[in-house]
Amino acid sequence: MTNTKAYAATAPDSGLAPHGIDRRELRADDVAIEIDYCGVCHTDIHFAHNDWGVTQYPLVPGHEIVGRVTAVGDQVGNYQAGDRVGVGCMVDACRECEACQDGLEQYCLNGMTATYNGQDRHDGSITMGGYSEKVVVSERFVVRIPEKLEMAAAAPLLCAGITTYSPLRHYGVKAGHKVGVIGMGGLGHMGVKFARAMGAEVTIFTRSENKVAEAKNQGAHHVIISTDDQQMADAAETFDFMLDTVPVQHDLNPYLACLKYDGTHILVGLLEPVDPTLNAGNLVLKRRVLAGSLIGGMPETQEVLDFCAEHDVRCDIEMLDINNINDAYEKVQKSQVKYRYVIDMATLKNAA
Amino acid sequence: MTNTKAYAATAPDSGLAPHGIDRRELRADDVAIEIDYCGVCHTDIHFAHNDWGVTQYPLVPGHEIVGRVTAVGDQVGNYQAGDRVGVGCMVDACRECEACQDGLEQYCLNGMTATYNGQDRHDGSITMGGYSEKVVVSERFVVRIPEKLEMAAAAPLLCAGITTYSPLRHYGVKAGHKVGVIGMGGLGHMGVKFARAMGAEVTIFTRSENKVAEAKNQGAHHVIISTDDQQMADAAETFDFMLDTVPVQHDLNPYLACLKYDGTHILVGLLEPVDPTLNAGNLVLKRRVLAGSLIGGMPETQEVLDFCAEHDVRCDIEMLDINNINDAYEKVQKSQVKYRYVIDMATLKNAA
């Protein structure tokens, strides 16, 4: 065992403190990674605070991990020491079911193993994430960071990036399509960049006039103030897709009305009951579709990194000292980050 | 003008009585039809009773119309006197928008003209449906009844049939797919027949043990009692499609849980707010889709008739004397018809 420094949330007060966390000895298909950067995802906060009642403490959050390979197991063929690599939201799955065989491990019929707060399929231990010096992950769940990408900015591609890229690809967004993006946070701003890079005409929907300049700055061709009835009425039946990144309950019906017949509203942020409820007529009368999408499979997670290198797509980040993580959590909750915090893991060495 | 006998609902008591209803003189692209049979759709009842507050009396319901051509306008090229023809839920649309050009007139961007209680695009008159001796309809909205089909049983294909056929075709249901059908009425029983004819393995979901024999009789390979928690748990993540024909509010979540990842739940009966509400996680966590579908376009309406002739698919009907229409409405509302009433329009001649 290698005792590794990690920043962990501890019960019951959810305060964070550095811990020694054992990383497992290398299995034959394992890759050992020294972590350089780790993105801060809203999900980290939910788990640290046990919002969903399933957290097992001590918790080491973090599933937007980039670093360098330090060692590999005997049977690892694709990576060697020194390689620039990433780890996203999953570190294992059954590898045998239909979903796994399709490269859609996130929908594994036997349940994927989450990067943190999951249960290791071999030894039953609880998985620990990327707020850490090191991590050991099976080769299949490691991706390569293209040379052209800056390491720190690549980190959020492993969750915020793949989460928005995957459905846009799945539904075949391309030139000629009109795409609306709802939500201007870490996911939303990546959605805008991807939809643009795929050739679509992109509109950001925002509730506030104050955010129009920021929306344009994110790369949107157009901005619609969703609280302006006239603007929403003018947009009726004009969109092919809505990419809905809002993680809290909100009314879907006004956005559905903006979709053309056969248009698709894609939920990537909401896991709660839909409230206010959906009017079924908004789907039936125009053959519209309400869809959901969860991160992406491993082949597609490599694809999004390669896509970003090829199309010069970059996540906008703010670098973070791990000693300021609690303050950062508050700012994420208040939407005061533009657009993703990335922890410089070198700061963990000086953590109190 | 030709004064034609029709059975009309009159305000305010929604009682029905035979009326003289003028059918328009033939326009250049019109087909005049003597009606032999007309199916009774639940929608007829909603309109007759003004359930949706939009009925304009006198109302002549009926949008599952079959009969014979008696005359055609100067520019009609596809039909001649004596042809066996049908008219479904639409009698016009703008014909110029993207949807109309795609043969999806039901999603016409300028609004389709409904077969009854719609407004004629040329003279502004209110359209009158098929509970009538005659009807005059533009050629584009007339379909041909294949010789192999029995006329009376063909009538319900023009609404109940196309409504269930269209989404199964649109989503590419085929051999190897597992399809669940929810609802055992006029639409549901057609859904079972179509899904079977397309090669799928079909399961009927019913709330009652008492309906198992009936469900098997409809042609289902399997029956699941939706109120049996164990049966529903066993069905988790096993279906590719759900065809949901239930026209009243019901909980979609247990059925969504029965869909595989990438599975699709298709609403064809519900136009109301979804209640109980949808759990968004049921879509997001498995990339499932909630879709809606409305009747079908004119090319597809011809296709469903040809498909039924080719695959020997027949709607189960009960013949109805128009003098018993009010009694029939009550039985439809109590789900006591197997599975579709079809009015023998010859009985209109003797109507009181």
PDB file of all heavy atoms in Angstrom, chain A residues 99 102 107 261 272-274 277-278 280 284-285 287-288 290 292 294, chain B residues 99 102 107 261 270 272-274 277-278 280 284-285 287-288 290 292 294:
ATOM      1  N   ALA A  99     -24.380  -2.834 -22.511  1.00  0.00           N
ATOM      2  CA  ALA A  99     -23.951  -1.433 -22.456  1.00  0.00           C
ATOM      3  C   ALA A  99     -22.429  -1.335 -22.454  1.00  0.00           C
ATOM      4  O   ALA A  99     -21.841  -0.540 -23.188  1.00  0.00           O
ATOM      5  CB  ALA A  99     -24.534  -0.754 -21.216  1.00  0.00           C
ATOM      6  N   ASP A 102     -21.009  -2.012 -25.713  1.00  0.00           N
ATOM      7  CA  ASP A 102     -21.232  -0.891 -26.634  1.00  0.00           C
ATOM      8  C   ASP A 102     -20.382   0.324 -26.286  1.00  0.00           C
ATOM      9  O   ASP A 102     -20.522   1.373 -26.917  1.00  0.00           O
ATOM     10  CB  ASP A 102     -22.716  -0.452 -26.578  1.00  0.00           C
ATOM     11  CG  ASP A 102     -23.617  -1.396 -27.346  1.00  0.00           C
ATOM     12  OD1 ASP A 102     -23.103  -2.281 -28.053  1.00  0.00           O
ATOM     13  OD2 ASP A 102     -24.849  -1.236 -27.249  1.00  0.00           O
ATOM     14  N   TYR A 107     -23.918   3.294 -18.484  1.00  0.00           N
ATOM     15  CA  TYR A 107     -25.231   2.659 -18.365  1.00  0.00           C
ATOM     16  C   TYR A 107     -25.097   1.165 -18.072  1.00  0.00           C
ATOM     17  O   TYR A 107     -26.033   0.389 -18.302  1.00  0.00           O
ATOM     18  CB  TYR A 107     -26.033   2.878 -19.653  1.00  0.00           C
ATOM     19  CG  TYR A 107     -26.165   4.326 -20.046  1.00  0.00           C
ATOM     20  CD1 TYR A 107     -25.717   4.781 -21.281  1.00  0.00           C
ATOM     21  CD2 TYR A 107     -26.717   5.258 -19.172  1.00  0.00           C
ATOM     22  CE1 TYR A 107     -25.823   6.121 -21.649  1.00  0.00           C
ATOM     23  CE2 TYR A 107     -26.817   6.606 -19.521  1.00  0.00           C
ATOM     24  CZ  TYR A 107     -26.368   7.029 -20.769  1.00  0.00           C
ATOM     25  OH  TYR A 107     -26.470   8.349 -21.111  1.00  0.00           O
ATOM     26  N   TYR A 261     -41.387  20.882 -34.424  1.00  0.00           N
ATOM     27  CA  TYR A 261     -41.855  19.493 -34.384  1.00  0.00           C
ATOM     28  C   TYR A 261     -40.613  18.620 -34.534  1.00  0.00           C
ATOM     29  O   TYR A 261     -39.644  19.002 -35.199  1.00  0.00           O
ATOM     30  CB  TYR A 261     -42.909  19.205 -35.468  1.00  0.00           C
ATOM     31  CG  TYR A 261     -42.390  19.129 -36.882  1.00  0.00           C
ATOM     32  CD1 TYR A 261     -42.029  17.908 -37.457  1.00  0.00           C
ATOM     33  CD2 TYR A 261     -42.268  20.273 -37.653  1.00  0.00           C
ATOM     34  CE1 TYR A 261     -41.547  17.836 -38.752  1.00  0.00           C
ATOM     35  CE2 TYR A 261     -41.795  20.211 -38.938  1.00  0.00           C
ATOM     36  CZ  TYR A 261     -41.434  18.995 -39.489  1.00  0.00           C
ATOM     37  OH  TYR A 261     -40.957  18.938 -40.770  1.00  0.00           O
ATOM     38  N   GLU A 272     -34.199  15.395 -10.321  1.00  0.00           N
ATOM     39  CA  GLU A 272     -35.344  15.494  -9.410  1.00  0.00           C
ATOM     40  C   GLU A 272     -36.662  15.256 -10.161  1.00  0.00           C
ATOM     41  O   GLU A 272     -36.679  15.207 -11.382  1.00  0.00           O
ATOM     42  CB  GLU A 272     -35.399  16.918  -8.821  1.00  0.00           C
ATOM     43  CG  GLU A 272     -34.077  17.532  -8.478  1.00  0.00           C
ATOM     44  CD  GLU A 272     -33.496  16.944  -7.217  1.00  0.00           C
ATOM     45  OE1 GLU A 272     -34.251  16.818  -6.246  1.00  0.00           O
ATOM     46  OE2 GLU A 272     -32.300  16.603  -7.208  1.00  0.00           O
ATOM     47  N   PRO A 273     -37.751  15.151  -9.414  1.00  0.00           N
ATOM     48  CA  PRO A 273     -39.066  15.165 -10.067  1.00  0.00           C
ATOM     49  C   PRO A 273     -39.253  16.478 -10.830  1.00  0.00           C
ATOM     50  O   PRO A 273     -38.844  17.539 -10.343  1.00  0.00           O
ATOM     51  CB  PRO A 273     -40.045  15.070  -8.887  1.00  0.00           C
ATOM     52  CG  PRO A 273     -39.258  14.434  -7.780  1.00  0.00           C
ATOM     53  CD  PRO A 273     -37.858  14.939  -7.951  1.00  0.00           C
ATOM     54  N   VAL A 274     -39.835  16.389 -12.013  1.00  0.00           N
ATOM     55  CA  VAL A 274     -40.057  17.582 -12.830  1.00  0.00           C
ATOM     56  C   VAL A 274     -41.155  18.426 -12.178  1.00  0.00           C
ATOM     57  O   VAL A 274     -42.264  17.943 -11.954  1.00  0.00           O
ATOM     58  CB  VAL A 274     -40.469  17.179 -14.267  1.00  0.00           C
ATOM     59  CG1 VAL A 274     -40.858  18.411 -15.076  1.00  0.00           C
ATOM     60  CG2 VAL A 274     -39.338  16.412 -14.944  1.00  0.00           C
ATOM     61  N   THR A 277     -44.910  20.413 -13.416  1.00  0.00           N
ATOM     62  CA  THR A 277     -44.953  19.202 -14.228  1.00  0.00           C
ATOM     63  C   THR A 277     -44.999  19.533 -15.719  1.00  0.00           C
ATOM     64  O   THR A 277     -45.246  20.667 -16.130  1.00  0.00           O
ATOM     65  CB  THR A 277     -46.147  18.315 -13.827  1.00  0.00           C
ATOM     66  OG1 THR A 277     -45.969  17.018 -14.393  1.00  0.00           O
ATOM     67  CG2 THR A 277     -47.465  18.894 -14.335  1.00  0.00           C
ATOM     68  N   LEU A 278     -44.732  18.497 -16.468  1.00  0.00           N
ATOM     69  CA  LEU A 278     -44.705  18.572 -17.929  1.00  0.00           C
ATOM     70  C   LEU A 278     -46.127  18.488 -18.485  1.00  0.00           C
ATOM     71  O   LEU A 278     -46.908  17.655 -18.037  1.00  0.00           O
ATOM     72  CB  LEU A 278     -43.912  17.343 -18.365  1.00  0.00           C
ATOM     73  CG  LEU A 278     -43.643  17.064 -19.795  1.00  0.00           C
ATOM     74  CD1 LEU A 278     -42.579  18.026 -20.298  1.00  0.00           C
ATOM     75  CD2 LEU A 278     -43.155  15.622 -19.937  1.00  0.00           C
ATOM     76  N   ALA A 280     -48.127  16.981 -21.245  1.00  0.00           N
ATOM     77  CA  ALA A 280     -47.886  15.932 -22.246  1.00  0.00           C
ATOM     78  C   ALA A 280     -48.191  16.424 -23.657  1.00  0.00           C
ATOM     79  O   ALA A 280     -47.531  16.020 -24.618  1.00  0.00           O
ATOM     80  CB  ALA A 280     -48.715  14.696 -21.921  1.00  0.00           C
ATOM     81  N   VAL A 284     -46.799  15.439 -27.445  1.00  0.00           N
ATOM     82  CA  VAL A 284     -47.647  14.699 -28.398  1.00  0.00           C
ATOM     83  C   VAL A 284     -47.988  15.532 -29.637  1.00  0.00           C
ATOM     84  O   VAL A 284     -47.865  15.044 -30.766  1.00  0.00           O
ATOM     85  CB  VAL A 284     -48.942  14.229 -27.704  1.00  0.00           C
ATOM     86  CG1 VAL A 284     -49.918  13.621 -28.709  1.00  0.00           C
ATOM     87  CG2 VAL A 284     -48.606  13.229 -26.592  1.00  0.00           C
ATOM     88  N   LEU A 285     -48.386  16.771 -29.426  1.00  0.00           N
ATOM     89  CA  LEU A 285     -48.926  17.551 -30.544  1.00  0.00           C
ATOM     90  C   LEU A 285     -47.872  17.922 -31.583  1.00  0.00           C
ATOM     91  O   LEU A 285     -48.210  18.314 -32.704  1.00  0.00           O
ATOM     92  CB  LEU A 285     -49.621  18.815 -30.021  1.00  0.00           C
ATOM     93  CG  LEU A 285     -50.834  18.555 -29.123  1.00  0.00           C
ATOM     94  CD1 LEU A 285     -51.388  19.856 -28.564  1.00  0.00           C
ATOM     95  CD2 LEU A 285     -51.928  17.810 -29.890  1.00  0.00           C
ATOM     96  N   ARG A 287     -44.764  15.877 -31.813  1.00  0.00           N
ATOM     97  CA  ARG A 287     -43.821  14.745 -31.843  1.00  0.00           C
ATOM     98  C   ARG A 287     -42.462  15.130 -31.236  1.00  0.00           C
ATOM     99  O   ARG A 287     -41.407  14.723 -31.707  1.00  0.00           O
ATOM    100  CB  ARG A 287     -43.654  14.200 -33.268  1.00  0.00           C
ATOM    101  CG  ARG A 287     -43.033  12.807 -33.275  1.00  0.00           C
ATOM    102  CD  ARG A 287     -43.230  12.056 -34.577  1.00  0.00           C
ATOM    103  NE  ARG A 287     -42.428  12.559 -35.671  1.00  0.00           N
ATOM    104  CZ  ARG A 287     -42.410  12.039 -36.893  1.00  0.00           C
ATOM    105  NH1 ARG A 287     -43.169  11.006 -37.176  1.00  0.00           N
ATOM    106  NH2 ARG A 287     -41.678  12.556 -37.831  1.00  0.00           N
ATOM    107  N   ARG A 288     -42.511  15.973 -30.207  1.00  0.00           N
ATOM    108  CA  ARG A 288     -41.258  16.372 -29.554  1.00  0.00           C
ATOM    109  C   ARG A 288     -40.787  15.274 -28.613  1.00  0.00           C
ATOM    110  O   ARG A 288     -41.553  14.386 -28.223  1.00  0.00           O
ATOM    111  CB  ARG A 288     -41.457  17.672 -28.777  1.00  0.00           C
ATOM    112  CG  ARG A 288     -41.769  18.864 -29.652  1.00  0.00           C
ATOM    113  CD  ARG A 288     -41.921  20.106 -28.787  1.00  0.00           C
ATOM    114  NE  ARG A 288     -42.272  21.291 -29.567  1.00  0.00           N
ATOM    115  CZ  ARG A 288     -43.409  21.968 -29.437  1.00  0.00           C
ATOM    116  NH1 ARG A 288     -44.326  21.554 -28.565  1.00  0.00           N
ATOM    117  NH2 ARG A 288     -43.636  23.045 -30.172  1.00  0.00           N
ATOM    118  N   LEU A 290     -38.482  14.418 -25.012  1.00  0.00           N
ATOM    119  CA  LEU A 290     -37.769  14.823 -23.796  1.00  0.00           C
ATOM    120  C   LEU A 290     -36.801  13.697 -23.471  1.00  0.00           C
ATOM    121  O   LEU A 290     -37.207  12.555 -23.253  1.00  0.00           O
ATOM    122  CB  LEU A 290     -38.747  15.033 -22.640  1.00  0.00           C
ATOM    123  CG  LEU A 290     -38.117  15.409 -21.302  1.00  0.00           C
ATOM    124  CD1 LEU A 290     -37.430  16.783 -21.380  1.00  0.00           C
ATOM    125  CD2 LEU A 290     -39.163  15.419 -20.189  1.00  0.00           C
ATOM    126  N   GLY A 292     -32.904  12.323 -21.647  1.00  0.00           N
ATOM    127  CA  GLY A 292     -31.878  12.541 -20.637  1.00  0.00           C
ATOM    128  C   GLY A 292     -30.571  11.963 -21.127  1.00  0.00           C
ATOM    129  O   GLY A 292     -30.553  11.144 -22.050  1.00  0.00           O
ATOM    130  N   LEU A 294     -26.442  10.948 -19.474  1.00  0.00           N
ATOM    131  CA  LEU A 294     -25.531  10.873 -18.321  1.00  0.00           C
ATOM    132  C   LEU A 294     -24.087  10.751 -18.814  1.00  0.00           C
ATOM    133  O   LEU A 294     -23.765   9.808 -19.552  1.00  0.00           O
ATOM    134  CB  LEU A 294     -25.893   9.641 -17.487  1.00  0.00           C
ATOM    135  CG  LEU A 294     -25.079   9.391 -16.220  1.00  0.00           C
ATOM    136  CD1 LEU A 294     -25.430  10.416 -15.150  1.00  0.00           C
ATOM    137  CD2 LEU A 294     -25.315   7.972 -15.696  1.00  0.00           C
TER     138      LEU A 294
ATOM    139  N   ALA B  99     -43.100  20.936 -42.611  1.00  0.00           N
ATOM    140  CA  ALA B  99     -43.804  19.726 -42.186  1.00  0.00           C
ATOM    141  C   ALA B  99     -44.672  19.192 -43.318  1.00  0.00           C
ATOM    142  O   ALA B  99     -44.657  17.989 -43.614  1.00  0.00           O
ATOM    143  CB  ALA B  99     -44.653  20.010 -40.946  1.00  0.00           C
ATOM    144  N   ASP B 102     -42.715  17.595 -45.901  1.00  0.00           N
ATOM    145  CA  ASP B 102     -42.215  16.288 -45.451  1.00  0.00           C
ATOM    146  C   ASP B 102     -43.329  15.240 -45.361  1.00  0.00           C
ATOM    147  O   ASP B 102     -43.074  14.112 -44.917  1.00  0.00           O
ATOM    148  CB  ASP B 102     -41.582  16.424 -44.049  1.00  0.00           C
ATOM    149  CG  ASP B 102     -40.197  17.034 -44.116  1.00  0.00           C
ATOM    150  OD1 ASP B 102     -39.676  17.207 -45.237  1.00  0.00           O
ATOM    151  OD2 ASP B 102     -39.630  17.330 -43.054  1.00  0.00           O
ATOM    152  N   TYR B 107     -48.351  18.047 -38.353  1.00  0.00           N
ATOM    153  CA  TYR B 107     -47.520  19.009 -37.622  1.00  0.00           C
ATOM    154  C   TYR B 107     -47.373  20.319 -38.408  1.00  0.00           C
ATOM    155  O   TYR B 107     -46.451  21.099 -38.166  1.00  0.00           O
ATOM    156  CB  TYR B 107     -46.141  18.402 -37.331  1.00  0.00           C
ATOM    157  CG  TYR B 107     -46.211  17.078 -36.598  1.00  0.00           C
ATOM    158  CD1 TYR B 107     -45.632  15.927 -37.136  1.00  0.00           C
ATOM    159  CD2 TYR B 107     -46.866  16.959 -35.374  1.00  0.00           C
ATOM    160  CE1 TYR B 107     -45.703  14.700 -36.476  1.00  0.00           C
ATOM    161  CE2 TYR B 107     -46.950  15.735 -34.715  1.00  0.00           C
ATOM    162  CZ  TYR B 107     -46.366  14.612 -35.273  1.00  0.00           C
ATOM    163  OH  TYR B 107     -46.441  13.407 -34.617  1.00  0.00           O
ATOM    164  N   TYR B 261     -31.674   1.001 -21.023  1.00  0.00           N
ATOM    165  CA  TYR B 261     -31.028   2.271 -21.392  1.00  0.00           C
ATOM    166  C   TYR B 261     -31.324   2.499 -22.875  1.00  0.00           C
ATOM    167  O   TYR B 261     -31.450   1.538 -23.644  1.00  0.00           O
ATOM    168  CB  TYR B 261     -29.513   2.242 -21.096  1.00  0.00           C
ATOM    169  CG  TYR B 261     -28.681   1.419 -22.040  1.00  0.00           C
ATOM    170  CD1 TYR B 261     -28.077   1.974 -23.166  1.00  0.00           C
ATOM    171  CD2 TYR B 261     -28.468   0.067 -21.790  1.00  0.00           C
ATOM    172  CE1 TYR B 261     -27.308   1.200 -24.029  1.00  0.00           C
ATOM    173  CE2 TYR B 261     -27.710  -0.710 -22.638  1.00  0.00           C
ATOM    174  CZ  TYR B 261     -27.135  -0.143 -23.763  1.00  0.00           C
ATOM    175  OH  TYR B 261     -26.378  -0.912 -24.609  1.00  0.00           O
ATOM    176  N   LEU B 270     -52.168  10.777 -24.096  1.00  0.00           N
ATOM    177  CA  LEU B 270     -52.228  11.779 -23.031  1.00  0.00           C
ATOM    178  C   LEU B 270     -51.918  13.175 -23.555  1.00  0.00           C
ATOM    179  O   LEU B 270     -50.897  13.381 -24.208  1.00  0.00           O
ATOM    180  CB  LEU B 270     -51.217  11.407 -21.934  1.00  0.00           C
ATOM    181  CG  LEU B 270     -51.292  12.218 -20.640  1.00  0.00           C
ATOM    182  CD1 LEU B 270     -52.589  11.937 -19.904  1.00  0.00           C
ATOM    183  CD2 LEU B 270     -50.102  11.898 -19.743  1.00  0.00           C
ATOM    184  N   GLU B 272     -52.715  15.822 -21.214  1.00  0.00           N
ATOM    185  CA  GLU B 272     -52.834  16.577 -19.955  1.00  0.00           C
ATOM    186  C   GLU B 272     -51.462  16.771 -19.311  1.00  0.00           C
ATOM    187  O   GLU B 272     -50.478  16.169 -19.729  1.00  0.00           O
ATOM    188  CB  GLU B 272     -53.683  15.783 -18.952  1.00  0.00           C
ATOM    189  CG  GLU B 272     -54.870  15.071 -19.531  1.00  0.00           C
ATOM    190  CD  GLU B 272     -55.984  16.030 -19.857  1.00  0.00           C
ATOM    191  OE1 GLU B 272     -56.283  16.879 -19.013  1.00  0.00           O
ATOM    192  OE2 GLU B 272     -56.541  15.940 -20.969  1.00  0.00           O
ATOM    193  N   PRO B 273     -51.388  17.579 -18.254  1.00  0.00           N
ATOM    194  CA  PRO B 273     -50.156  17.623 -17.453  1.00  0.00           C
ATOM    195  C   PRO B 273     -49.859  16.227 -16.881  1.00  0.00           C
ATOM    196  O   PRO B 273     -50.789  15.523 -16.470  1.00  0.00           O
ATOM    197  CB  PRO B 273     -50.504  18.606 -16.329  1.00  0.00           C
ATOM    198  CG  PRO B 273     -51.603  19.450 -16.892  1.00  0.00           C
ATOM    199  CD  PRO B 273     -52.399  18.537 -17.782  1.00  0.00           C
ATOM    200  N   VAL B 274     -48.603  15.851 -16.881  1.00  0.00           N
ATOM    201  CA  VAL B 274     -48.199  14.544 -16.360  1.00  0.00           C
ATOM    202  C   VAL B 274     -48.357  14.556 -14.839  1.00  0.00           C
ATOM    203  O   VAL B 274     -47.782  15.399 -14.163  1.00  0.00           O
ATOM    204  CB  VAL B 274     -46.733  14.238 -16.751  1.00  0.00           C
ATOM    205  CG1 VAL B 274     -46.260  12.958 -16.085  1.00  0.00           C
ATOM    206  CG2 VAL B 274     -46.607  14.139 -18.267  1.00  0.00           C
ATOM    207  N   THR B 277     -45.948  13.463 -11.307  1.00  0.00           N
ATOM    208  CA  THR B 277     -44.917  14.019 -12.190  1.00  0.00           C
ATOM    209  C   THR B 277     -43.834  12.994 -12.484  1.00  0.00           C
ATOM    210  O   THR B 277     -43.703  11.963 -11.822  1.00  0.00           O
ATOM    211  CB  THR B 277     -44.307  15.301 -11.587  1.00  0.00           C
ATOM    212  OG1 THR B 277     -43.551  15.967 -12.608  1.00  0.00           O
ATOM    213  CG2 THR B 277     -43.371  14.997 -10.424  1.00  0.00           C
ATOM    214  N   LEU B 278     -43.075  13.326 -13.497  1.00  0.00           N
ATOM    215  CA  LEU B 278     -41.980  12.501 -13.984  1.00  0.00           C
ATOM    216  C   LEU B 278     -40.740  12.712 -13.117  1.00  0.00           C
ATOM    217  O   LEU B 278     -40.414  13.846 -12.779  1.00  0.00           O
ATOM    218  CB  LEU B 278     -41.705  13.002 -15.393  1.00  0.00           C
ATOM    219  CG  LEU B 278     -40.651  12.400 -16.250  1.00  0.00           C
ATOM    220  CD1 LEU B 278     -41.141  11.045 -16.761  1.00  0.00           C
ATOM    221  CD2 LEU B 278     -40.386  13.336 -17.426  1.00  0.00           C
ATOM    222  N   ALA B 280     -37.032  13.050 -13.309  1.00  0.00           N
ATOM    223  CA  ALA B 280     -36.073  13.291 -14.393  1.00  0.00           C
ATOM    224  C   ALA B 280     -34.952  12.248 -14.385  1.00  0.00           C
ATOM    225  O   ALA B 280     -34.440  11.868 -15.431  1.00  0.00           O
ATOM    226  CB  ALA B 280     -35.496  14.705 -14.282  1.00  0.00           C
ATOM    227  N   VAL B 284     -32.480  10.626 -17.278  1.00  0.00           N
ATOM    228  CA  VAL B 284     -31.054  10.971 -17.341  1.00  0.00           C
ATOM    229  C   VAL B 284     -30.153   9.768 -17.067  1.00  0.00           C
ATOM    230  O   VAL B 284     -29.181   9.534 -17.797  1.00  0.00           O
ATOM    231  CB  VAL B 284     -30.734  12.102 -16.335  1.00  0.00           C
ATOM    232  CG1 VAL B 284     -29.228  12.351 -16.252  1.00  0.00           C
ATOM    233  CG2 VAL B 284     -31.466  13.381 -16.737  1.00  0.00           C
ATOM    234  N   LEU B 285     -30.469   9.006 -16.040  1.00  0.00           N
ATOM    235  CA  LEU B 285     -29.539   7.967 -15.589  1.00  0.00           C
ATOM    236  C   LEU B 285     -29.420   6.803 -16.572  1.00  0.00           C
ATOM    237  O   LEU B 285     -28.478   6.005 -16.481  1.00  0.00           O
ATOM    238  CB  LEU B 285     -29.948   7.445 -14.207  1.00  0.00           C
ATOM    239  CG  LEU B 285     -29.893   8.497 -13.089  1.00  0.00           C
ATOM    240  CD1 LEU B 285     -30.424   7.915 -11.782  1.00  0.00           C
ATOM    241  CD2 LEU B 285     -28.473   9.025 -12.893  1.00  0.00           C
ATOM    242  N   ARG B 287     -30.313   7.365 -20.148  1.00  0.00           N
ATOM    243  CA  ARG B 287     -30.489   7.962 -21.488  1.00  0.00           C
ATOM    244  C   ARG B 287     -31.807   7.549 -22.131  1.00  0.00           C
ATOM    245  O   ARG B 287     -31.882   7.306 -23.335  1.00  0.00           O
ATOM    246  CB  ARG B 287     -29.302   7.603 -22.400  1.00  0.00           C
ATOM    247  CG  ARG B 287     -29.191   8.549 -23.594  1.00  0.00           C
ATOM    248  CD  ARG B 287     -27.873   8.493 -24.318  1.00  0.00           C
ATOM    249  NE  ARG B 287     -27.619   7.257 -25.028  1.00  0.00           N
ATOM    250  CZ  ARG B 287     -26.524   7.012 -25.753  1.00  0.00           C
ATOM    251  NH1 ARG B 287     -25.562   7.932 -25.831  1.00  0.00           N
ATOM    252  NH2 ARG B 287     -26.347   5.876 -26.356  1.00  0.00           N
ATOM    253  N   ARG B 288     -32.846   7.459 -21.294  1.00  0.00           N
ATOM    254  CA  ARG B 288     -34.150   7.111 -21.836  1.00  0.00           C
ATOM    255  C   ARG B 288     -34.818   8.333 -22.466  1.00  0.00           C
ATOM    256  O   ARG B 288     -34.420   9.478 -22.217  1.00  0.00           O
ATOM    257  CB  ARG B 288     -35.044   6.544 -20.721  1.00  0.00           C
ATOM    258  CG  ARG B 288     -34.557   5.234 -20.149  1.00  0.00           C
ATOM    259  CD  ARG B 288     -35.538   4.711 -19.100  1.00  0.00           C
ATOM    260  NE  ARG B 288     -35.093   3.486 -18.467  1.00  0.00           N
ATOM    261  CZ  ARG B 288     -34.781   3.365 -17.177  1.00  0.00           C
ATOM    262  NH1 ARG B 288     -34.865   4.422 -16.369  1.00  0.00           N
ATOM    263  NH2 ARG B 288     -34.391   2.208 -16.688  1.00  0.00           N
ATOM    264  N   LEU B 290     -38.630  10.184 -23.440  1.00  0.00           N
ATOM    265  CA  LEU B 290     -40.089  10.293 -23.362  1.00  0.00           C
ATOM    266  C   LEU B 290     -40.532  11.068 -24.597  1.00  0.00           C
ATOM    267  O   LEU B 290     -40.116  12.207 -24.798  1.00  0.00           O
ATOM    268  CB  LEU B 290     -40.513  11.033 -22.096  1.00  0.00           C
ATOM    269  CG  LEU B 290     -42.021  11.242 -21.926  1.00  0.00           C
ATOM    270  CD1 LEU B 290     -42.762   9.922 -21.771  1.00  0.00           C
ATOM    271  CD2 LEU B 290     -42.307  12.154 -20.731  1.00  0.00           C
ATOM    272  N   GLY B 292     -43.682  11.928 -27.727  1.00  0.00           N
ATOM    273  CA  GLY B 292     -45.092  11.985 -28.047  1.00  0.00           C
ATOM    274  C   GLY B 292     -45.269  11.789 -29.537  1.00  0.00           C
ATOM    275  O   GLY B 292     -44.309  11.946 -30.305  1.00  0.00           O
ATOM    276  N   LEU B 294     -48.514  12.206 -32.720  1.00  0.00           N
ATOM    277  CA  LEU B 294     -49.887  12.599 -33.064  1.00  0.00           C
ATOM    278  C   LEU B 294     -50.264  11.999 -34.418  1.00  0.00           C
ATOM    279  O   LEU B 294     -49.601  12.270 -35.420  1.00  0.00           O
ATOM    280  CB  LEU B 294     -49.961  14.130 -33.134  1.00  0.00           C
ATOM    281  CG  LEU B 294     -51.316  14.747 -33.474  1.00  0.00           C
ATOM    282  CD1 LEU B 294     -52.283  14.598 -32.305  1.00  0.00           C
ATOM    283  CD2 LEU B 294     -51.152  16.220 -33.845  1.00  0.00           C
TER     284      LEU B 294
END
